[in-house]
Amino acid sequence: WGNLSEKMSHVVKKRKLDKSRQDRLYFDSYSDVTIHEEMIADHVRTNTYRTAILRNTESIRGKVVLDVGAGTGVLSIFCAQAGAKKVYAVEACSIAEQAVKIVKHNNMEDRVEVIRGTVETVDLPEKVEVIVSEWMGYALLHESMLNSVLYARDKWLKPGGVILPSKAELYIAPISDPVVEDRLHFWYTVKDQYGVDMSCMSDFAQRCIMNSDITVNSVTVEDVLSHPARFAELDLSSVTVEELRAVKGHFRCSSFGSAAVNAFCVYFTVTFPCPDKPLVLSTSPFKPETHWKQAVLYLDAPVEVVQDTPVTGEVSMYPSEDSARHICIHVDYSIGEQKTQSKTFSIPDWSSEAQS
């Protein structure tokens, strides 16, 4: 896959997509059933939102709520079930038509109003006391609607209003991906199988496999080589769009034991304020899997570590120059005595390559 996507990006020297086309591609990608099935079937995601909304009944009962990027309208209906007086479900893509049916089907049309359009362009008849949104993308910020949530906050949320979730945090940990180990080792096994020595392919294989794509994958607990380190925190009541142009922070990890580090894993949590104690939706490899899985960033080459080897560095996440919705992750890192290395990663972008 790696070299195929490389090949495609050489064929198409990606021109900067104009903003309206980026948006169209993005919104179109949400008009099929599959993505909504995946999101609603993600029990951790949907149930955490449901629980958080029901636990916030005090803040929601009798209040006006805005659901940013409502999709099928499921969160809006949860809010109505929690006693909201009125919910504006704003959705830019054609799934809004289905949301209207779902709202009707649940006899909520007097409480939930589906509005087709982007939150930047819709005109609500009133300000709101609560904003709810499931805006998180892969590695938190890929394809993320966070900018839209912040726009809605600044334009429509009354002072002292509630945002659900209220906080997002980003974490990183060194990992050892055994599939990569196996794939690199494979070329050393060809001679025994077929009598032709192909071990010289391993360098080429390493360049292809340990490329600069952000790979979305489930990381197994056993492959995580240290306690994860938090490198950024976003407080949704105060963070600005300007600050999202570079979300960055330092990290320091300490290896559990002897292993070969061949990648970093990046994941996020979001936190909902609740009357008793906050509720956390986590995409950590140590917690039940979600559809976000984890973002895996391959080093150029594996590095051996032993117990307590320090792995330190700085991560910076920023929008790609090709498309503002696409995320780039730059990591400067140092493992043990090794001098600092740098690598920049991005999510391979099939949609714009295929359609440019």
Side-chain angles (χ1 to χ4, degrees):
W1 286 111
N3 49 2
L4 181 59
S5 65
E6 271 169 22
K7 196 164 74 189
M8 289 191 68
S9 59
H10 289 309
V11 176
V12 190
K13 276 297 177 217
K14 278 191 282 184
R15 60 173 189 267
K16 198 173 166 73
L17 293 178
D18 62 274
K19 181 83 171 76
S20 62
R21 203 158 146 277
Q22 284 173 32
D23 283 350
R24 199 171 65 244
L25 282 170
Y26 167 68
F27 292 128
D28 286 353
S29 72
Y30 281 84
S31 52
D32 181 67
V33 73
T34 313
I35 196 162
H36 296 284
E37 180 183 340
E38 178 183 53
M39 292 190 296
I40 288 177
D42 180 341
H43 184 78
V44 175
R45 166 197 178 271
T46 309
N47 206 51
T48 306
Y49 267 86
R50 181 175 186 227
T51 307
I53 288 166
L54 295 176
R55 282 197 193 158
N56 274 282
T57 301
E58 286 304 301
S59 317
I60 294 173
R61 192 191 289 116
K63 301 289 203 312
V64 180
V65 179
L66 168 59
D67 179 356
V68 179
T72 54
V74 64
L75 303 185
S76 295
I77 293 174
F78 290 159
C79 289
Q81 289 170 341
K85 176 172 74 180
K86 182 81 187 180
V87 186
Y88 297 105
V90 175
E91 174 52 56
C93 94
S94 58
I95 197 71
E97 296 160 26
Q98 305 305 317
V100 170
K101 288 181 190 165
I102 293 167
V103 167
K104 264 208 177 72
H105 197 68
N106 286 273
N107 302 316
M108 289 287 186
E109 60 267 54
D110 54 331
R111 313 261 291 285
V112 179
E113 185 180 333
V114 179
I115 303 176
R116 173 95 191 254
T118 66
V119 78
E120 289 82 0
T121 54
V122 300
D123 204 15
L124 302 182
E126 58 188 321
K127 294 234 169 173
V128 304
E129 282 118 333
V130 181
I131 290 178
V132 63
S133 181
E134 196 277 82
W135 51 267
M136 300 84 72
Y138 295 122
L140 188 67
L141 298 172
H142 182 66
E143 283 203 337
S144 145
M145 307 188 307
L146 183 51
N147 287 13
S148 299
V149 175
L150 302 186
Y151 181 93
R153 175 197 70 193
D154 296 343
K155 185 168 183 183
W156 298 111
L157 189 65
K158 289 182 181 174
V162 177
I163 306 180
L164 299 175
S166 58
K167 178 172 76 166
E169 292 164 286
L170 282 153
Y171 295 82
I172 189 167
I175 66 167
S176 172
D177 183 335
V179 174
V180 167
E181 295 269 289
D182 292 349
R183 288 184 66 190
L184 297 181
H185 181 66
F186 167 76
W187 297 103
Y188 291 90
T189 66
V190 175
K191 189 175 181 187
D192 284 349
Q193 287 188 75
Y194 306 113
V196 179
D197 188 339
M198 291 198 175
S199 59
C200 56
M201 276 284 283
S202 66
D203 280 357
F204 172 66
Q206 186 163 294
R207 286 199 303 279
C208 292
I209 296 165
M210 301 182 74
N211 59 24
S212 54
D213 289 346
I214 296 171
T215 311
V216 175
N217 235 331
S218 292
V219 174
T220 312
V221 174
E222 297 81 67
D223 300 336
V224 181
L225 302 181
S226 81
H227 290 296
R230 185 178 76 166
F231 66 88
E233 176 178 357
L234 305 175
D235 175 350
L236 268 58
S237 65
S238 58
V239 69
T240 63
V241 170
E242 189 51 41
E243 288 168 326
L244 295 182
R245 296 182 63 77
V247 172
K248 58 179 167 191
H250 292 271
F251 65 91
R252 169 175 285 278
C253 298
S254 183
S255 306
F256 288 143
S258 299
V261 177
N262 59 19
F264 286 108
C265 136
V266 169
Y267 69 90
F268 66 87
T269 64
V270 296
T271 303
F272 298 86
C274 291
D276 40 354
K277 64 174 197 302
L279 194 60
V280 178
L281 167 48
S282 174
T283 62
S284 160
F286 297 97
K287 293 282 194 290
E289 190 180 315
T290 71
H291 78 282
W292 288 284
K293 301 178 178 163
Q294 288 84 34
V296 176
L297 317 173
Y298 292 108
L299 312 186
D300 288 330
V303 182
E304 295 292 333
V305 295
V306 296
Q307 187 174 339
D308 297 332
T309 300
V311 180
T312 61
E314 185 175 19
V315 191
S316 179
M317 301 174 70
Y318 53 92
S320 144
E321 286 178 12
D322 293 319
S323 167
R325 289 192 185 276
H326 284 231
I327 196 72
C328 292
I329 305 179
H330 179 83
V331 189
D332 298 316
Y333 64 93
S334 170
I335 300 177
E337 299 301 296
Q338 201 191 51
K339 69 179 196 330
T340 300
Q341 313 264 327
S342 292
K343 193 164 179 181
T344 304
F345 303 86
S346 57
I347 294 224
D349 175 12
W350 293 98
S351 62
S352 67
E353 282 170 4
Q355 296 167 30
S356 290

